[in-house]
């Protein structure tokens, strides 16, 4: 499915193209049509599933279609309530990104900072307010925010909100909302108290569920190769010697890393291609279709680039590194074993990533099987704090040298002082 199939208007499609989103995620595919049709939603989904865009995009479309007249002070028509300042900022960034080609404004409201700038933004008039509960109530009581014109209300991460003790604040907010409105309710889990709260907010909601991230991991066979940083490349070649791996999706943390892996694989005559944020849409599309048509054996992807990819019956996922966020690991391996097929996830771990493996195992509540056919076992120890600091310093130094050299070179080409000096030296 594409975003076009979801009947989105062109300024939104253009903004999504800028974000390099190729396909809607599961929660987006399910929620966007429901929200566009005006129904309430009870959504069971957590961060990392593309949940924010799932509600932000159709709300923006509603606002475009309501054709708010420009001129005159804007009235708040959309209220998003979320538990933390970080989430509020992320949500606001999402709204700004997807509404960049239309005249719709948003602002964030959270506590712990001077309220001055927030009040100033509110006084100017704004369409969408994204707020944490405490400061929201505070500014309502001071008369800076009115909820009278709210048409769309979104309660995000409801379970976390309750765990943080916001239940009374939420109830106060709900009591102030107009009856005529569309409400969207999202929570990662749906225990009884959450369902009860949702009943007080929603009217005949449509239920939307995407699997909690940790559950996919239970059904996929997972193997771990512990190795040294310097052996990763050789180990990948070793793994790919297995003929049964006719195709594999390899994950790399960085874009440069992805390119490097492809270069190395090509030297070994293993057909491969990379997709990441620095590749054009065409290049990505080409790599993906080559992979789908079996012309390329290994597709190397960064996490963000891989989000939109949907490949049927992918059997193997290989993690060239262990992500520091367990959710990312779960997302990665969820790329194999789809639609009832069995999947195999192979992870390569260098000493610095040992602790990430422990975090992953905690999240998936399962030990990852250590592979027995490992010709390059891990012999190095993870760095201690002082070594880490020194390594980081060295890295920064190398980075600075790299940029300084690049600058020198470009000055040289431009016929600047460096060039003249070189000439003098040569003469
Ligand atoms: P969220 O679950 O809303 O926190 O989103 C997780 C991440 O996925 C964010 O970095 C989004 O920018 C990104 N994202 C959301 N939808 C898509 C999509 N359809 N394709 C690629 N990335 C997406």
């Amino acid at each position: 499915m594409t975003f076009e199939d979801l009947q989105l208007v062109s300024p939104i499609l253009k903004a999504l193209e800028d974000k390099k989103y190729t396909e809607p995620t599961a929660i987006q595919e399910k929620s966007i049509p429901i929200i566009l049709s005006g129904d309430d939603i009870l959504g069971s989904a957590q961060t990392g599933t593309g949940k924010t865009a799932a509600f932000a995009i159709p709300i923006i479309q509603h606002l475009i279609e309501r054709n708010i007249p420009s001129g005159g002070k804007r009235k708040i028509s959309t209220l998003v309530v979320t538990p933390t300042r970080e989430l509020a900022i992320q949500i606001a960034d999402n709204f700004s990104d997807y509404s960049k080609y239309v005249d719709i404004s948003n602002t964030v409201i959270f506590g712990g900072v001077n309220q001055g700038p927030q009040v100033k933004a509110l006084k100017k008039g704004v369409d969408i307010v994204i707020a944490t509960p405490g400061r929201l109530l505070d500014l309502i009581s001071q008369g800076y925010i009115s909820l009278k014109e709210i048409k769309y209300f979104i309660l995000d991460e409801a379970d976390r909100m309750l765990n943080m003790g916001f239940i009374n604040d939420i109830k106060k907010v709900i009591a102030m909302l107009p009856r005529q409105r569309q409400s969207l309710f999202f929570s990662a889990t749906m225990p009884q108290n959450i369902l009860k709260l949702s009943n007080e907010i929603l009217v005949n909601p449509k239920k939307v569920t995407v699997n909690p991230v940790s559950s996919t991991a239970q059904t996929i066979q997972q193997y771990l190769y512990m190795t040294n940083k310097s052996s990763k490349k050789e180990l990948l070649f070793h793994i790919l010697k297995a003929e049964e791996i006719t195709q594999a999706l390899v994950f790399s943390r960085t874009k440069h890393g992805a390119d490097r892996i492809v270069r190395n694989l090509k030297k070994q005559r293993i057909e491969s291609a990379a997709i990441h944020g620095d590749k054009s849409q065409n290049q990505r599309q080409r790599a993906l279709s080559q992979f789908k048509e079996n012309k390329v054996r290994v597709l190397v992807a960064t996490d963000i680039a891989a989000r939109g990819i949907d490949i049927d019956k992918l059997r193997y996922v290989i993690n060239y590194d262990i992500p520091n966020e367990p959710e990312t690991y779960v997302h990665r391996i969820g790329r194999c074993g789809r639609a009832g097929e069995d999947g195999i996830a192979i992870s390569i771990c260098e000493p610095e990533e040992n602790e990430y493996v422990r975090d992953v195992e905690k999240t998936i509540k399962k030990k990852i099987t250590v592979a027995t056919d490992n010709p390059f076992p891990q012999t190095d120890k993870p760095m201690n704090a002082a070594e880490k600091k020194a390594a980081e310093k060295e890295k920064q130094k190398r980075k600075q040298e790299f940029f300084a050299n690049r600058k020198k070179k470009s000055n040289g080409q431009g016929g600047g002082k460096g060039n003249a000096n070189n000439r003098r030296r040569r003469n």
Side-chain angles (χ1 to χ4, degrees):
M1 178 176 275
T2 63
F3 283 108
E4 277 89 355
D5 296 334
L6 293 171
Q7 315 289 318
L8 298 175
V9 295
S10 61
I12 297 182
L13 290 174
K14 201 161 154 224
L16 295 174
E17 214 176 295
D18 291 355
K19 290 288 287 178
K20 302 216 164 84
Y21 294 176
T22 47
E23 285 176 25
T25 63
I27 183 89
Q28 291 160 8
E29 212 174 295
K30 291 179 186 173
S31 308
I32 292 176
I34 299 174
I35 302 174
L36 287 180
S37 76
D39 282 322
D40 284 4
I41 274 199
L42 177 62
S44 172
Q46 44 190 267
T47 302
T49 53
K51 172 186 52 135
T52 318
F55 64 76
I57 291 169
I59 292 292
I60 292 168
Q61 180 135 328
H62 275 321
L63 296 184
I64 297 171
E65 282 166 357
R66 279 163 47 85
N67 197 13
I68 300 158
S70 47
K73 195 175 148 187
R74 289 162 196 264
K75 298 202 171 104
I76 305 166
S77 60
T78 305
L79 174 66
V80 185
V81 181
T82 190
T84 68
R85 161 199 175 130
E86 288 72 25
L87 278 168
I89 294 170
Q90 264 176 45
I91 295 170
D93 287 346
N94 271 251
F95 270 107
S96 301
D97 285 345
Y98 311 138
S99 65
K100 66 195 266 201
Y101 293 114
V102 289
D103 185 19
I104 289 173
S105 59
N106 71 70
T107 197
V108 266
I109 301 293
F110 49 77
V113 292
N114 182 342
Q115 71 172 41
Q118 297 176 1
V119 170
K120 201 167 153 200
L122 290 166
K123 278 186 176 163
K124 257 175 55 192
V126 63
D127 301 305
I128 304 166
V129 163
I130 301 118
T132 54
R135 176 61 62 89
L136 174 66
L137 285 172
D138 208 0
L139 294 183
I140 291 175
S141 70
Q142 293 178 53
Y144 292 119
I145 294 179
S146 160
L147 302 185
K148 283 206 185 88
E149 302 290 329
I150 296 291
K151 303 281 181 294
Y152 309 103
F153 172 61
I154 298 111
L155 189 67
D156 185 40
E157 308 243 335
D159 49 356
R160 218 164 135 193
M161 204 104 72
L162 259 55
N163 288 341
M164 288 169 77
F166 286 137
I167 183 75
N168 287 330
D169 287 353
I170 302 290
K171 287 194 169 162
K172 278 186 207 154
V173 172
I174 299 168
M176 283 186 259
L177 293 171
R179 276 180 177 277
Q180 270 296 331
R181 60 167 201 261
Q182 184 178 10
S183 303
L184 316 175
F185 184 105
F186 289 94
S187 188
T189 55
M190 289 288 168
Q192 219 37 51
N193 59 344
I194 293 289
L195 286 171
K196 194 164 161 253
L197 178 67
S198 77
N199 275 334
E200 293 172 33
I201 297 175
L202 305 170
V203 181
N204 295 328
K206 295 267 185 322
K207 292 197 178 79
V208 175
T209 304
V210 293
N211 286 333
V213 280
S214 61
S215 73
T216 25
Q218 302 295 333
T219 56
I220 295 165
Q221 292 178 51
Q222 299 166 63
Y223 296 98
L224 184 64
Y225 285 82
M226 309 286 283
T227 193
N228 294 336
K229 188 180 170 76
S230 55
S231 308
K232 279 188 158 180
K233 186 171 88 177
E234 296 300 328
L235 187 54
L236 179 64
F237 300 155
H238 166 78
I239 292 167
L240 289 172
K241 273 190 197 135
E243 281 173 12
E244 65 265 28
I245 307 182
T246 51
Q247 285 217 296
L249 177 61
V250 173
F251 279 98
S252 155
R253 189 174 5 240
T254 65
K255 300 174 208 170
H256 289 304
D259 285 335
R260 203 176 319 120
I261 295 169
V262 167
R263 275 199 305 275
N264 290 333
L265 288 173
K266 284 190 171 161
K267 278 188 209 153
Q268 298 293 311
R269 297 177 194 224
I270 297 173
E271 278 309 317
S272 56
I275 52 167
H276 55 63
D278 283 352
K279 302 268 181 192
S280 69
Q281 189 62 23
N282 277 345
Q283 284 172 321
R284 291 184 195 207
Q285 217 70 60
R286 197 176 328 121
L288 189 59
S289 43
Q290 283 178 335
F291 188 64
K292 281 185 171 175
E293 290 159 20
N294 267 316
K295 288 182 187 148
V296 157
R297 185 176 168 212
V298 177
L299 186 66
V300 186
T302 55
D303 293 297
I304 291 287
R307 273 193 189 271
I309 318 180
D310 189 10
I311 306 157
D312 286 343
K313 294 183 189 154
L314 181 63
R315 188 134 198 261
Y316 290 92
V317 160
I318 301 176
N319 293 314
Y320 196 75
D321 48 56
I322 312 289
N324 57 356
E325 285 179 353
E327 288 75 18
T328 306
Y329 173 88
V330 178
H331 276 297
R332 286 180 175 189
I333 74 165
R335 291 278 158 200
C336 70
R338 320 186 100 210
E341 296 291 315
D342 61 338
I344 297 174
I346 299 168
S347 300
I348 301 177
C349 172
E350 63 177 76
E352 292 320 305
E353 294 161 351
N354 290 0
E355 59 180 305
Y356 302 156
V357 170
R358 286 193 287 274
D359 292 343
V360 166
E361 290 180 333
K362 243 189 254 163
T363 300
I364 63 173
K365 301 186 184 76
K366 187 171 162 170
K367 278 253 169 241
I368 307 176
T369 312
V370 175
T372 45
D373 68 320
N374 182 356
F376 307 100
Q378 194 177 92
T379 50
D380 293 345
K381 294 262 167 297
M383 288 187 259
N384 62 30
E387 286 165 340
K388 255 189 207 160
K389 207 168 156 193
E392 187 53 36
K393 216 168 153 188
E394 180 60 32
K395 199 166 131 193
Q396 289 305 333
K397 200 174 124 199
R398 274 207 306 270
K399 219 174 184 177
Q400 276 168 3
E401 276 169 8
F402 172 81
F403 285 115
N405 275 337
R406 205 162 72 170
K407 201 166 165 198
K408 241 190 246 164
K409 262 189 212 156
S410 70
N411 281 345
Q413 277 163 4
K417 202 171 153 211
N419 223 11
N421 284 342
N422 286 345
R423 259 200 307 277
R424 221 170 289 137
R425 229 175 283 132
R426 274 202 300 273
N427 293 341

